[in-house]
Amino acid sequence: MKSKTRLTLWMLCLLTCWLGLTPVQAQSNPNLDPLIQHVYGRETTSLNGNWNYLIDMLEVGYYNYRRTPDPDGFFKDPKVDNITAYKEYDFDSAPVMKIPSDWNTQNAQLFYYEGTVWFKHKFLYTPSEAGNRAYLYFGAINYDSKVYLNGKKVGEHIGGYTPFNMEVTDVLKEGENFVVVKVDNKRYAEAVPTLNCDWFNYGGITRDVMLVEVPQTYIRSYKVQLKKGSKDLIAGYVQLDGEQASQKVTIEIPALKVKKEMETDEKGYASFEVKAKPVLWSSSNPQLYDVHLTVATDRVNDEIGFRTIETRGREILLNGEPVFLKGISIHEEAPFYSGRICNEAENLTLLNWAQELGCNYVRLAHYPHNEKMVRMAEKMGFMVWSEIPVYWTIQWNNPETYKNAHNQLTEMIERDQNRAAVVIWSIANETPHGEARDRFLSDLSKSARAQDDTRLISMAMERSDKSPTLLSIQDKMSDYVDIISCNQYVGWYDGLNEKIDRVSWEVDYEKPLMLSEFGGGAVAGYHGDNDQIWTEEYQAELYRKTLKMIDERMSPVAGISPWILMDFRSPRRLLPGIQDGFNRKGLISNRGEKKISFDVLQEWYRHK
Ligand code: GCB
């Protein structure tokens, strides 16, 4: 892209944020269509299952020998007879991989691979109703993907953890079709996340793939939540897509005796407000209501909860009442074999452990987790912190990096804006202070607020201490967040456990304070004295002392999400015999063994 165009886009982004405008369905990914809300509630054909794949280190399927894009790349996949024509690849005789999955744990040769893999899947299509429109939907592909249907490019997407879809009505055929996807998970400096991070760069088509069918004019997006500051006014919008843009829309919530009709404008948009007295969603009673949205041509059903989330001084209020967020941080990594989560049972195992721990809250770090995880958390009564991978030091001055981060933020919000469980949008983790970073993050924060004012904004900050033992947070971004969250590692990266007893805290902001991370490493089954690092005893002692510090020497704390539920793979963790490629700060090992610290935290939560 020419730098002038980049500059204009960057200025446009900023202008949109400054004006506080909602960038309706902001799009930075080319050839994609606005996200369809709640795909699991539509008529879908799953395209999960076996896909053939080719490992393409040199990207010969995309570029010719002059390294320019080849119009006859692998996506064409023509049938040749090998006598009159040749081709140097063949999907149909290539190995198969189960999708969704990460490729690293599916094929030992791909464990450390970062590069391009091509996937192909054949499927039969029978139109379910004449005149329907069809979309290809991907829950997530890590990281850079190009999608082709029947040899034609239909979309591309950047960003490894958010969904995207593209209309394929005109390319889809009755009978056999084939979809080819080029997936590239190479890390690069301007990406989000960037080159450097403390989790595993699983590549592949990591979430559900579906063909979604909708009527010619359909309900593409909607928001149905309590109006900010109200417990008895449900508000939101409906956005249609299709030629019959002006139509009557009905929203019904039978259990609340709500039935409201409205007219969409010439752009297919209608906003609404309706009086209702819902039983409010909470951790102890995660009440959800059937919500039906109907137009002459379409109907969508969803289950939606209603709650308020606000702050008052240093407190967080759920439904108007102070609440302490008893949390745990979680990576989207499967228990027992440690790969990217690819089914509901794996989500459930993690959430069951969080429940056993006594949590009412989960920090889903460091990127948006799969949609089913969020829905499951909601049904189980967990409040959720949802985060984009703006992590450590990314390119704060690069307009493309901003556009990418902003797009991931938008896709995260669009997907989950009806989930009552999501109470916090987090825009960053442990980022270094500086003007460019402050501008980047404050713009993200303003945009998140403009897109959704029914949740709180936070980010995981770092300490700026007042003295070696007087710990504090001083961050210009404090003006732009609702909750001051801090990752801190006294007893691990900062001194040994004895230091924890010597520190106290002074945080001057009149906003709720959360400890978004603390912890230390321990090898499950490795025992020793309380001061012997890597033992379960050391980690347990770190927890005991930190929890005591929170009780006695921190100004009121509104919640915590210690690091982390389960040991997870990280290429930064190289210590043989101890780490072996895993971050060992889990309360539970990667094999599912609970460490002593699990009991320590469980006991503290029991009395909280
Ligand atoms: C942090 C990061 C997290 C790391 C953790 C650690 O502060 O936010 O991603 O995994 O520390 O274990 O060092």
Side-chain angles (χ1 to χ4, degrees):
M1 189 182 283
K2 291 213 186 80
S3 59
K4 211 170 147 197
T5 327
R6 272 191 200 163
L7 201 72
T8 322
L9 274 167
W10 174 237
M11 284 164 66
L12 206 74
C13 274
L14 288 183
L15 194 70
T16 312
C17 297
W18 282 332
L19 293 176
L21 298 177
T22 306
V24 178
Q25 310 272 358
Q27 261 201 277
S28 80
N29 280 306
N31 303 333
L32 291 181
D33 292 297
L35 207 56
I36 303 174
Q37 178 81 201
H38 187 27
V39 277
Y40 292 104
R42 314 288 173 133
E43 180 150 340
T44 57
T45 307
S46 171
L47 301 183
N48 292 346
N50 287 336
W51 290 50
N52 295 88
Y53 69 99
L54 293 166
I55 304 162
D56 185 12
M57 286 174 69
L58 297 182
E59 298 182 284
V60 296
Y62 192 73
Y63 297 111
N64 64 20
Y65 78 122
R66 299 282 184 215
R67 195 77 184 168
T68 52
D70 183 350
D72 293 319
F74 284 9
F75 45 87
K76 283 278 169 72
D77 196 31
K79 293 287 144 272
V80 296
D81 62 14
N82 272 332
I83 297 171
T84 56
Y86 85 102
K87 79 179 187 184
E88 292 188 72
Y89 66 96
D90 180 38
F91 277 107
D92 296 344
S93 54
V96 293
M97 191 180 290
K98 178 178 72 71
I99 297 297
S101 68
D102 65 76
W103 63 53
N104 315 78
T105 59
Q106 298 294 301
N107 174 343
Q109 286 184 325
L110 287 175
F111 187 73
Y112 289 114
Y113 181 68
E114 295 185 312
T116 286
V117 176
W118 291 85
F119 291 90
K120 178 184 172 185
H121 186 65
K122 286 193 274 196
F123 62 96
L124 287 174
Y125 173 64
T126 325
S128 54
E129 232 179 79
N132 272 2
R133 295 166 67 183
Y135 286 81
L136 264 178
Y137 171 91
F138 294 87
I141 296 182
N142 191 32
Y143 169 79
D144 181 336
S145 53
K146 298 186 176 17
V147 182
Y148 306 84
L149 182 63
N150 299 328
K152 186 172 181 300
K153 185 161 173 200
V154 288
E156 59 188 289
H157 184 261
I158 287 178
Y161 304 97
T162 43
F164 58 98
N165 50 232
M166 64 222 79
E167 184 163 10
V168 294
T169 312
D170 297 335
V171 192
L172 194 64
K173 297 182 302 196
E174 187 157 2
E176 190 171 290
N177 292 265
F178 70 100
V179 56
V180 170
V181 186
K182 176 183 185 292
V183 183
D184 186 351
N185 75 332
K186 274 194 294 298
R187 288 167 296 119
Y188 52 95
E190 56 268 46
V192 182
T194 182
L195 288 168
N196 194 18
C197 61
D198 190 24
W199 70 89
F200 203 88
N201 180 27
Y202 292 113
I205 303 175
T206 53
R207 294 186 189 154
D208 290 334
V209 189
M210 292 181 249
L211 193 68
V212 185
E213 286 183 80
V214 290
Q216 283 296 342
T217 299
Y218 71 99
I219 301 166
R220 187 183 75 215
S221 177
Y222 55 88
K223 184 170 179 186
V224 184
Q225 292 280 277
L226 280 179
K227 189 177 168 136
K228 185 180 166 75
S230 168
K231 285 187 188 147
D232 57 7
L233 206 52
I234 294 175
Y237 73 87
V238 177
Q239 175 69 60
L240 307 185
D241 192 314
E243 275 167 14
Q244 288 170 257
S246 302
Q247 280 201 56
K248 200 174 76 184
V249 184
T250 312
I251 169 163
E252 279 173 280
I253 310 174
L256 295 176
K257 300 197 170 39
V258 163
K259 183 167 182 180
K260 167 105 181 159
E261 289 184 352
M262 59 216 150
E263 285 283 331
T264 50
D265 64 16
E266 70 288 355
K267 290 190 173 134
Y269 180 86
S271 58
F272 68 90
E273 283 188 10
V274 56
K275 280 260 173 214
K277 265 256 159 248
V279 171
L280 300 179
W281 181 96
S282 68
S283 301
S284 53
N285 182 18
Q287 172 80 43
L288 300 179
Y289 289 93
D290 285 330
V291 175
H292 311 301
L293 294 161
T294 319
V295 289
T297 52
D298 193 20
R299 180 179 168 92
V300 185
N301 303 325
D302 204 342
E303 280 182 292
I304 296 183
F306 302 101
R307 54 95 193 97
T308 64
I309 189 83
E310 304 154 286
T311 65
R312 182 177 64 200
R314 295 192 180 215
E315 294 175 319
I316 296 176
L317 309 180
L318 176 67
N319 302 326
E321 297 295 322
V323 61
F324 183 83
L325 275 61
K326 301 192 257 184
I328 190 71
S329 296
I330 300 180
H331 259 298
E332 192 185 3
E333 192 167 275
F336 310 117
Y337 67 89
S338 302
R340 181 61 72 224
I341 282 187
C342 62
N343 62 49
E344 294 215 64
E346 293 163 355
N347 287 333
L348 184 61
T349 303
L350 298 186
L351 291 178
N352 276 340
W353 280 331
Q355 200 164 58
E356 192 182 336
L357 197 57
C359 296
N360 59 11
Y361 160 65
V362 285
R363 175 184 180 204
L364 301 183
H366 279 304
Y367 37 76
H369 288 210
N370 68 81
E371 182 174 348
K372 288 178 176 165
M373 178 71 162
V374 178
R375 285 182 177 267
M376 191 178 274
E378 178 164 79
K379 287 203 163 124
M380 291 172 75
F382 293 105
M383 288 173 275
V384 170
W385 157 308
S386 185
E387 177 168 347
I388 49 171
V390 173
Y391 184 90
W392 291 353
T393 306
I394 66 167
Q395 293 193 345
W396 308 112
N397 278 311
N398 185 335
E400 286 298 309
T401 302
Y402 181 81
K403 207 163 69 126
N404 180 351
H406 184 265
N407 190 61
Q408 296 192 46
L409 176 77
T410 302
E411 288 172 342
M412 168 175 83
I413 294 176
E414 281 177 359
R415 193 194 72 180
D416 288 343
Q417 62 186 3
N418 288 305
R419 302 283 69 79
V422 178
V423 292
I424 298 165
W425 298 127
S426 172
I427 54 169
N429 182 80
E430 290 184 351
T431 50
H433 296 187
E435 252 177 54
R437 168 270 204 180
D438 291 349
R439 195 176 56 238
F440 188 112
L441 293 183
S442 54
D443 287 343
L444 277 186
S445 163
K446 284 182 224 162
S447 175
R449 254 183 234 294
Q451 294 185 60
D452 177 20
D453 66 357
T454 61
R455 289 168 179 85
L456 305 174
I457 308 286
S458 195
M459 57 185 267
M461 296 175 174
E462 293 177 306
R463 281 166 28 209
S464 306
D465 298 339
K466 296 192 173 178
S467 82
T469 52
L470 186 56
L471 313 187
S472 189
I473 302 159
Q474 291 160 68
D475 191 322
K476 293 207 170 106
M477 279 303 295
S478 301
D479 291 343
Y480 298 92
V481 296
D482 301 303
I483 300 172
I484 310 289
S485 300
C486 181
N487 295 351
Q488 73 85 34
Y489 283 91
V490 183
W492 192 252
Y493 299 124
D494 177 7
L496 293 170
N497 276 342
E498 59 78 34
K499 180 169 178 187
I500 305 173
D501 294 334
R502 292 189 285 115
V503 300
S504 53
W505 284 74
E506 205 172 84
V507 178
D508 302 324
Y509 304 110
E510 261 313 297
K511 293 189 175 184
L513 170 64
M514 299 216 304
L515 275 191
S516 33
E517 288 180 29
F518 67 84
V523 179
Y526 179 41
H527 294 286
D529 294 336
N530 284 358
D531 58 3
Q532 192 179 341
I533 69 162
W534 299 115
T535 62
E536 287 194 35
E537 285 74 9
Y538 185 94
Q539 188 194 43
E541 189 66 1
L542 183 150
Y543 268 75
R544 278 184 216 104
K545 287 179 182 291
T546 306
L547 296 171
K548 190 163 187 286
M549 172 191 84
I550 293 169
D551 281 335
E552 296 173 359
R553 277 162 288 128
M554 290 190 78
S555 56
V557 173
I560 65 171
S561 48
W563 195 254
I564 182 168
L565 183 66
M566 191 182 72
D567 292 353
F568 61 97
R569 285 193 206 275
S570 168
R572 294 177 65 82
R573 309 296 170 172
L574 305 176
L575 188 61
I578 300 274
Q579 293 177 311
D580 299 317
F582 281 84
N583 184 314
R584 295 286 177 205
K585 296 192 187 67
L587 299 175
I588 300 175
S589 80
N590 49 304
R591 292 182 305 275
E593 302 134 316
K594 295 198 177 88
K595 305 178 193 172
I596 303 170
S597 48
F598 185 96
D599 301 332
V600 174
L601 184 60
Q602 185 187 50
E603 183 59 19
W604 194 76
Y605 279 160
R606 202 168 278 145
H607 298 105
K608 203 66 190 167

